[in-house]
């Protein structure tokens, strides 16, 4: 197969993986109230099926990215597809909320293997001048999954929430074999590389402590002794990690990536955008199924404008970034997202659905302008042997931002409404003003959206501060000649 043709094959493999993982997550999100009622489990357990998955992904992707740079991306990506498929079977037969949580966290290992390698595989296959377009197409497919997921989830709930995992099985089998037979290693891993075990252990333990503290703080209070202890442990371990990375010959995370201005600000904007939008869908599910009293399928349809707008814009923004650069495009995109969040700041119990659709569409338009160009700036700004690390770091920061977003917003909501009322609201057993403090909940919701708005503005400011493109010792033309000729 010619290299010029292989790039589209590689894109098809990674796109199928993205479709697989995003579809699984978005269908599950809309099904959480049904799972909670059917398994007779607590709200904290079902929330952790989402949070725990993101936590494991956040911890693992940087070290997996480094491992991929050492041993190659294909075998890890294919393994991730297989693990994700197998754990979908296990999730479908879960009998308790705790079982589902455990299987979901194992599933996150498969997700991390796919996500940490997919962007790097695309970056290896496409020349830099076409990378924005390729990532834009990839983002568009992710948006399709984001649109279809909640609607499909709402439909599948009428059959039974377990069918959400059943549908993963044929997709996973096809994707595993397609990647196994079609993907190639486009670069030979460097020989005699050492894996940074000490740095990996310090980083993984430190991030686990930090993200657990952020998550628990949102539910049990930020001044809880266990939360404060976890924060202290995280600070110590992550400080030790930085010291290790600055002394070892082959670090797990090359901190030079953060010393280059354009990359540092691109990564920071990625993280802040995760904080800005991570909790939005989660909060709107509360609002639509609790306050508005709509059924899961309609809730899924009503959540789709965000993803539809993003789906339309992403390919064009990627193409535009290839021609005109990233800085203005991504920064304006974040400002547009902030406008959508500003509209949600004035949400009321009787806010018309059409108004919600407008604000979500604006948010999706802005996000579509940001994602592909910013990812292209990151992946096109690092040498080939650092792409796994860069992709892993980008995913880690996005997920960390989303974990922080949900934790903080849940803390805000929890402080405005009693736990019993929140649980009743979540499962839809009490809607509107029937037995829940609707006014207090809406106040908390507005406060949460206001915080998201502030972080979106901050992300836009940081994005604009990025400097000129990174220059590495390896010339781009030489790299492209090696890959394509």
């Amino acid at each position: 197969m010619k290299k010029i043709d292989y790039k589209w094959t590689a894109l098809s493999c990674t796109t199928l993986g993205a479709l697989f993982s995003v579809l699984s997550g978005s269908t599950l999100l809309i099904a959480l109230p049904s799972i909670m009622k059917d398994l007779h489990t607590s709200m904290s357990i079902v929330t952790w099926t989402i949070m725990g998955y993101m936590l494991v992904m956040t911890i693992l992707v940087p070290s997996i990215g480094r491992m991929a740079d050492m041993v190659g991306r294909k075998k890890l990506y294919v393994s991730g597809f297989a693990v994700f498929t197998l754990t979908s079977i296990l999730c479908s037969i879960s009998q308790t909320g705790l079982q589902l949580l455990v299987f979901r966290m194992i599933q996150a290992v498969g997700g991390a293997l796919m996500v940490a390698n997919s962007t790097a595989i695309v970056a290896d296959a496409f020349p830099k001048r076409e990378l924005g377009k390729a990532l834009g197409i990839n983002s568009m497919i992710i948006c399709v999954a984001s649109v279809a997921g909640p609607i499909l989830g709402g439909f599948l709930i009428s059959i039974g929430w377990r069918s959400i995992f059943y549908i993963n099985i044929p997709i996973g089998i096809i994707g595993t074999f397609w990647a196994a037979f079609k993907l190639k290693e486009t670069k030979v891993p460097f020989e005699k590389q050492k894996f940074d075990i000490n740095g990996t252990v310090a980083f993984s333990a430190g991030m686990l402590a930090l993200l657990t503290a952020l998550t628990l703080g949102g539910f049990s209070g930020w001044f809880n002794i266990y939360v404060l202890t976890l924060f202290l442990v995280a600070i110590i371990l992550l400080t030790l990690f930085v010291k290790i990375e600055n002394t070892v010959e082959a670090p797990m995370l090359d901190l030079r990536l953060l010393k280059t201005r354009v990359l540092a600000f691109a990564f920071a904007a990625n993280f802040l955008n995760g904080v800005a939008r991570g909790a939005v869908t989660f909060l709107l599910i509360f609002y639509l199924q609790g306050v508005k009293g709509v059924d899961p399928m309609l809730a899924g349809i009503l959540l789709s404008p965000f993803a539809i707008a993003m789906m339309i814009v992403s390919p064009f923004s990627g193409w535009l970034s290839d021609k005109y650069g990233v800085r203005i495009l991504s920064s304006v995109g974040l400002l547009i997202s902030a406008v959508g969040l500003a509209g949600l700041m004035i949400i009321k119990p009787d806010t018309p659905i059409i108004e919600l659709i407008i604000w979500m569409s604006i948010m999706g338009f802005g996000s579509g302008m940001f994602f592909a160009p910013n990812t292209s700036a990151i992946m096109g700004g690092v040498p080939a042997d650092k792409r796994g690390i860069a992709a892993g770091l980008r995913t880690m920061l996005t997920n960390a931002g989303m974990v922080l977003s949900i934790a903080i917003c849940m803390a805000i909501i929890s402080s405005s409404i009693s736990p019993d009322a929140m649980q009743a609201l979540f499962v839809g057993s009490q809607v509107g003003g029937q037995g829940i403090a609707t006014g207090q909940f809406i106040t908390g919701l507005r406060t949460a959206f206001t915080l998201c708005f502030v972080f979106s503005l901050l992300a836009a400011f940081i994005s604009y501060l990025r400097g000129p493109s990174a220059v590495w010792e390896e010339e781009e033309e030489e790299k492209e000649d090696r890959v394509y000729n």
Side-chain angles (χ1 to χ4, degrees):
M1 181 181 292
K2 295 181 179 180
K3 293 289 185 182
I4 195 68
D5 297 325
Y6 171 74
K7 63 185 181 182
W8 298 109
T9 302
L11 183 62
S12 73
C13 291
T14 58
T15 298
L16 185 58
L19 177 69
F20 184 43
S21 58
V22 173
L23 193 65
S24 176
S26 57
T27 53
L28 179 63
L29 191 61
I30 202 74
L32 291 181
S34 297
I35 294 172
M36 183 173 167
K37 287 186 285 188
D38 186 58
L39 295 181
H40 305 290
T41 190
S42 66
M43 182 177 171
S44 60
I45 291 291
V46 295
T47 303
W48 266 90
T49 61
I50 300 295
M51 299 282 282
Y53 182 91
M54 288 193 295
L55 190 145
V56 172
M57 285 266 290
T58 304
I59 293 168
L60 290 182
V61 284
S63 54
I64 290 175
R66 169 58 182 155
M67 193 180 301
D69 287 335
M70 293 175 59
V71 304
R73 316 198 199 284
K74 175 183 175 178
K75 58 178 68 74
L76 296 181
Y77 184 80
V78 173
S79 298
F81 235 125
V83 170
F84 203 98
T85 305
L86 177 61
T87 47
S88 291
I89 299 173
L90 296 176
C91 288
S92 71
I93 61 175
S94 298
Q95 299 301 309
T96 67
L98 185 59
Q99 284 182 5
L100 179 61
L101 172 59
V102 171
F103 294 145
R104 275 285 290 171
M105 293 182 77
I106 298 173
Q107 191 174 54
V109 177
L113 286 164
M114 287 194 294
V115 169
N117 288 283
S118 59
T119 307
I121 288 171
V122 173
D124 285 344
F126 280 81
K128 187 175 180 180
R129 62 182 178 273
E130 296 180 2
L131 186 55
K133 176 178 66 177
L135 292 171
I137 293 171
N138 198 266
S139 296
M140 181 185 70
I141 299 301
I142 290 174
C143 295
V144 170
S146 299
V147 173
I151 300 172
L152 179 62
F155 170 74
L156 291 174
I157 289 171
S158 63
I159 302 172
W161 64 265
R162 297 178 192 276
S163 58
I164 287 173
F165 294 104
Y166 294 150
I167 200 170
N168 288 344
I169 299 170
I171 300 175
I173 292 172
I174 293 170
T176 300
F177 282 102
W178 180 253
F181 287 111
K182 293 297 184 179
L183 280 182
K184 300 179 183 298
E185 293 291 357
T186 55
K187 80 177 190 69
V188 179
F190 291 96
E191 297 181 358
K192 298 180 180 178
Q193 293 191 86
K194 294 181 179 179
F195 188 72
D196 178 18
I197 297 177
N198 292 334
T200 299
V201 171
F203 173 83
S204 299
M207 286 301 296
L208 177 62
L210 176 62
L211 294 174
T212 303
L214 291 172
T215 305
L216 292 179
F219 290 94
S220 59
W222 299 105
F223 296 102
N224 181 292
I225 185 63
Y226 297 109
V227 173
L228 293 175
T229 301
L230 285 169
F231 274 126
L232 178 61
V233 170
I235 291 171
I236 294 171
L237 288 173
L238 292 177
T239 301
L240 176 62
F241 166 72
V242 172
K243 183 177 180 181
I244 292 171
E245 298 307 277
N246 284 322
T247 56
V248 297
E249 182 179 347
M252 183 273 283
L253 176 60
D254 191 342
L255 296 179
R256 289 187 305 158
L257 297 179
L258 301 178
K259 293 179 180 178
T260 305
R261 180 171 175 171
V262 65
L263 291 175
F265 282 82
F267 282 127
N270 220 61
F271 169 75
L272 292 170
N273 183 61
V275 179
R277 60 178 293 270
V280 172
T281 302
F282 199 75
L283 294 174
L284 286 174
I285 288 175
F286 268 74
Y287 176 78
L288 291 171
Q289 295 195 44
V291 176
K292 290 292 191 183
V294 303
D295 62 74
M297 176 171 279
L298 181 57
I301 294 171
L302 294 177
L303 288 171
S304 63
F306 174 85
I308 291 174
M310 190 172 169
M311 176 183 67
I312 294 171
V313 174
S314 290
F316 296 104
S317 66
W319 176 76
L320 288 172
S321 71
D322 288 335
K323 292 178 66 68
Y324 302 111
V326 171
R327 185 185 186 189
I328 299 298
L329 198 63
S330 60
S331 303
V332 171
L334 290 167
L335 287 176
I336 293 173
S337 289
V339 172
L341 286 165
L344 294 176
M345 285 164 52
I346 58 173
I347 196 169
K348 297 178 292 187
D350 59 350
T351 296
I353 293 298
I354 186 64
E355 186 176 327
L356 291 176
I357 290 173
I358 291 171
W359 298 130
M360 283 189 284
S361 299
I362 293 173
M363 274 190 64
F365 187 92
S367 293
M369 286 184 64
F370 169 75
F371 271 116
N374 195 67
T375 303
S376 178
I378 292 172
M379 300 310 297
V382 297
D385 65 321
K386 303 295 182 186
R387 284 182 181 149
I389 296 176
L393 181 58
R394 182 190 71 86
T395 302
M396 182 201 75
L397 290 172
T398 299
N399 285 354
M402 294 178 72
V403 169
L404 180 59
S405 180
I406 294 175
I408 293 176
C409 290
M410 287 302 293
I412 293 171
I413 299 296
S414 298
S415 66
S416 66
I417 188 171
S418 71
D420 289 341
M422 183 184 292
Q423 185 147 327
L425 177 69
F426 189 65
V427 300
S429 61
Q430 299 175 1
V431 298
Q434 300 175 11
I436 63 171
T438 306
Q440 288 88 336
F441 171 72
I442 292 297
T443 299
L445 202 60
R446 288 178 175 179
T447 304
F449 284 136
T450 300
L451 187 67
C452 293
F453 167 76
V454 171
F455 272 104
S456 190
L457 289 180
L458 182 59
F461 177 67
I462 293 297
S463 177
Y464 186 74
L465 291 179
R466 72 183 72 204
S469 299
V471 177
W472 298 84
E473 293 180 4
E474 180 184 26
E475 292 295 328
E476 180 67 26
E477 291 78 13
E478 294 178 3
K479 184 266 300 186
E480 289 189 12
D481 287 342
R482 184 171 67 254
V483 173
Y484 297 101
N485 295 330

